Amino acid sequence: MEKFTIKQFNEQYATDDVCLETIFKHRYGQVSRCPSCHTRTKFHRVTDRKCYACQSCGYQLHPLADTIFHKSETPLKSWFYAIYLFANSKNGVSAKELQRQLGVTYKTAWRMAKQIRLLFKQSNYPLSKTVEMDDTYVGGVARGKRGRGATGKSIVLGAVQRQGRIAASVVGNLSAETVRPFIEQHIKPGTALMTDEFKTYRKTRKGYPHRTVNHSSGTYVRGMVHTNTIEGFWSQLKRSLSGTYHAVSPKYLQHYVNEFAYRYSKRHALSSLFFPMLAQAVRPV
Ligand SMILES: [Zn+2]
């Protein structure tokens, strides 16, 4: 991935005004016709306000309306920098770290992080070719029952296309009624599906050529048949969750899963994740 250095970042987004201008351009493009008076016109920045006005009728456009920046008193430059930190991190950014780097209160930092996590949105394009599917348990008490059925933990179900992107959802259980819709939503019919021998996967494979590895008998790889790719993602997810975020409430777990799934899916991206995240940030949430 091409580096987007902090020096480049600071040069490009030196002031709040530049950040606002960036959001305006991303959101509205080159506005040439006023949506209100319909004349060919120009929009100019209203002094000391975070909006732009049509120079013929005065109609105002508010580029921050309904975005994650809406009604925030934190300077836009700090927001951009926070997004920059998330975009360049491998293991996530804690609220404590944001607080320290931005000089905001912990509460503000926590809220910003929560909003920024909404930017980790992936396309819905279905997974295909060869897909590994698996589930894992995260959170809860550190020393408990291991494996499926562990108490106090949340279940994450995931599917990864080898060499491609990952889809992962926090689910309430691993019944066929839960797993089958996940498969249908994320995986193209006819895709070769690799799982372990867990019985639900046997029940839900209709329409997907299915191969299993028998983990309980100590088999982990049968040629092309393995789930090592998704297991690698689970370890990374758990390392980051415990290392950076410590305790994540089940209520917000999906957002954290989205964060790491997004990073994983874009691991081969040619430029910094800052740019796709910014493109998402100018959209209403
Ligand atoms: Zn106008």
Side-chain angles (χ1 to χ4, degrees):
M1 188 188 294
E2 198 177 306
K3 275 257 180 226
F4 182 45
T5 65
I6 186 65
K7 185 164 174 281
Q8 289 170 316
F9 171 83
N10 281 326
E11 281 165 7
Q12 204 164 333
Y13 303 106
T15 64
D16 278 1
D17 286 343
V18 171
C19 296
L20 187 71
E21 188 72 23
T22 302
I23 296 168
F24 181 77
K25 283 191 179 140
H26 268 74
R27 185 157 181 186
Y28 300 105
Q30 299 294 343
V31 211
S32 60
R33 206 173 274 278
C34 172
S36 178
C37 69
H38 305 292
T39 55
R40 284 197 177 278
T41 182
K42 281 202 168 84
F43 278 79
H44 59 80
R45 172 78 188 275
V46 179
T47 316
D48 294 333
R49 295 199 53 203
K50 292 172 185 166
C51 66
Y52 292 74
C54 165
Q55 65 180 19
S56 56
C57 76
Y59 177 78
Q60 291 183 345
L61 291 173
H62 296 260
L64 305 187
D66 305 319
T67 67
I68 64 166
F69 313 112
H70 192 39
K71 289 185 177 159
S72 166
E73 283 171 16
T74 306
L76 278 177
K77 204 193 157 188
S78 300
W79 271 106
F80 274 43
Y81 183 54
I83 295 172
Y84 176 87
L85 291 176
F86 270 91
N88 287 285
S89 144
K90 188 168 174 247
N91 295 309
V93 184
S94 67
K96 207 91 204 121
E97 175 71 6
L98 269 193
Q99 175 190 17
R100 195 177 66 76
Q101 295 236 25
L102 302 178
V104 295
T105 65
Y106 181 80
K107 200 170 156 189
T108 299
W110 191 88
R111 278 200 195 133
M112 288 174 83
K114 179 169 169 262
Q115 295 291 81
I116 290 170
R117 249 172 237 116
L118 301 176
L119 308 180
F120 294 112
K121 256 197 196 122
Q122 295 193 59
S123 76
N124 294 322
Y125 200 75
L127 307 174
S128 62
K129 296 176 185 165
T130 304
V131 169
E132 296 175 24
M133 185 165 69
D134 193 23
D135 54 86
T136 195
Y137 286 76
V138 299
V141 281
R143 273 182 220 87
K145 221 167 111 188
R146 287 195 166 265
R148 290 184 171 113
T151 48
K153 292 178 179 273
S154 304
I155 311 168
V156 185
L157 183 60
V160 62
Q161 178 176 331
R162 286 188 189 157
Q163 316 298 329
R165 73 173 191 91
I166 192 160
S169 297
V170 178
V171 293
N173 57 62
L174 288 170
S175 68
E177 291 71 27
T178 304
V179 174
R180 182 67 194 183
F182 176 88
I183 295 178
E184 287 173 356
Q185 188 191 342
H186 295 289
I187 311 170
K188 197 174 161 190
T191 297
L193 200 53
M194 314 278 170
T195 70
D196 64 18
E197 73 289 356
F198 185 52
K199 62 179 185 315
T200 300
Y201 297 143
R202 294 191 174 280
K203 277 195 262 174
T204 50
R205 65 190 173 183
K206 193 166 171 268
Y208 297 84
H210 183 227
R211 300 278 179 280
T212 59
V213 275
N214 194 349
H215 285 179
S216 57
S217 75
T219 308
Y220 289 88
V221 181
R222 277 196 294 125
M224 286 287 288
V225 185
H226 64 79
T227 52
N228 293 351
T229 315
I230 193 154
E231 281 159 30
F233 174 75
W234 294 146
S235 336
Q236 169 69 29
L237 173 72
K238 288 177 191 183
R239 253 198 319 277
S240 302
L241 285 177
S242 62
T244 308
Y245 294 125
H246 312 297
V248 169
S249 123
K251 187 178 162 197
Y252 298 115
L253 181 60
Q254 183 66 57
H255 298 292
Y256 291 84
V257 169
N258 291 348
E259 172 180 351
F260 293 104
Y262 184 92
R263 276 200 193 98
Y264 181 89
S265 294
K266 295 202 184 282
R267 67 201 179 283
H268 300 308
L270 296 176
S271 59
S272 170
L273 298 188
F274 177 80
F275 301 103
M277 287 177 72
L278 185 64
Q280 187 66 43
V282 307
R283 298 196 182 124
V285 282

